[in-house]
Amino acid sequence: MGCDRNCGLIAGAVIGAVLAVFGGILMPVGDMLIEKTIKREVVLEEGTTAFKNWVKTGTTVYRQFWIFDVQNPDEVAKNSSKIKVKQRGPYTYRVRYLAKENITQDPDDYTVSFVQPNGAIFEPSLSVGTEDDNFTVLNLAVAAAPHIYQNTFVQVVLNSLIKKSKSSMFQTRSLRELLWGYKDPFLSLVPYPISTTVGVFYPYNDTVDGVYKVFNGKDNISKVAIIESYKGKRNLSYWPSYCDMINGTEMQPPFHLLLKSRTLRFFSSDICRSIYAVFGSEIDLKGIPVYRFVLPANAFASPFQNPDNHCFCTEKVISNNCALMRKPVYISLPHFLHASPDISEPIEGLNPNEDEHRTYLDVEPITGFTLQFAKRLQVNILVKPARKIEALKSLKRPYIVPILWLNETGTIGDEKAEMFKKQVTGKIKLLGLVEMVLLGIGVVMFVAFMISYCACRSKNGK
């Protein structure tokens, strides 16, 4: 009888040990299986989950605009007063709803090339007004003229055309005209062939962005979506030095395991440069744990604060911010958030707010999928005094004039969030639970049966 009892206790201890060992083995094996599945599904090729969502996003993406309506245009033009602005918006458009086109895989270098069609559909129910709403804004062509054409004689000629067209420093334009383009009366009088259509985002609708060529990750998962070239080039031909490089930047967060210390570097065709985001915090998004990456305060800082930006700063008159094109266009965060105080000093009516005006991406750390994002940028124009152009000759200082700011957002839908939890995080949690249960039960069984066995041996020995 004693032997049967002892044998049973030993058998129980052995079973517990086996369960514990199996649970322990399942941890690295399970992680390896998960990683293998993820690596297979995040490659950008036909049939994978990543490819399906990459070709056409399943998330509705909106781009909201707030326009800075100038309240005292005559005062500014005549007396070089502070510019008083009033923010009006949002005016909302649906964007990024078109699938990528001309998708071509190259098996030799593991890349895929494509173009991204552009389109914007106005959403009246999500807007405060219509596309016909009017605003008083800086005259884009007049402000840019002396910056682009610095020769004195040319400026005299341009001044006569500006006067003849009855153009001035400021103008009234509808939302549709300001965003998507209008025939400029001053440029229409220029006697040599130039584009006479002006608009902050002109041309946009019915155009394509690209050709992009990105790595598909088939040979190296860490390279998924990293840009190999853009429009056939690895450099933009805009900036000097390394600022001009786009090779090695990403179209979106990489589809692989992420570390909190990782910096995500992206190329944005909207601003013709690469930009980066750093880990901010862990948050819960519809029951899914995600890492929030945020655009740091020094992303658009002057070279005095961020030396890495030295080759983006091409304008010598304004040294505390960085021009982002050869035209006098400046990109900042909305309401000059984190900008040097002297940039916003000549502008009244701005209220920078970290929560409303920062850019962020919420990335699921297992798959690397972006489940939510908010891209917030402000478009500004540099206008400087110009003695030969009457519309600008009364200015006593340069201004960086805010035109508008935008908020482009996308969030995983409730249905897709539930599907994601079921197919990805749910399975991972279940596997982790099984591992811990097996390990826990096994350890408890082993310890309990061994204690009982030792107690029986001790009792029988007396």
Side-chain angles (χ1 to χ4, degrees), residues 381-393:
I381 302 290
L382 171 65
V383 58
K384 298 186 292 185
R387 288 184 304 165
K388 300 300 180 181
I389 295 180
E390 288 186 30
L392 305 176
K393 72 176 184 180

Side-chain angles (χ1 to χ4, degrees), residues 76-92:
V76 177
K78 293 177 181 177
N79 305 319
S80 196
S81 305
K82 285 189 176 184
I83 300 176
K84 297 177 182 179
V85 297
K86 182 180 180 181
Q87 172 183 284
R88 290 170 57 188
Y91 294 88
T92 306

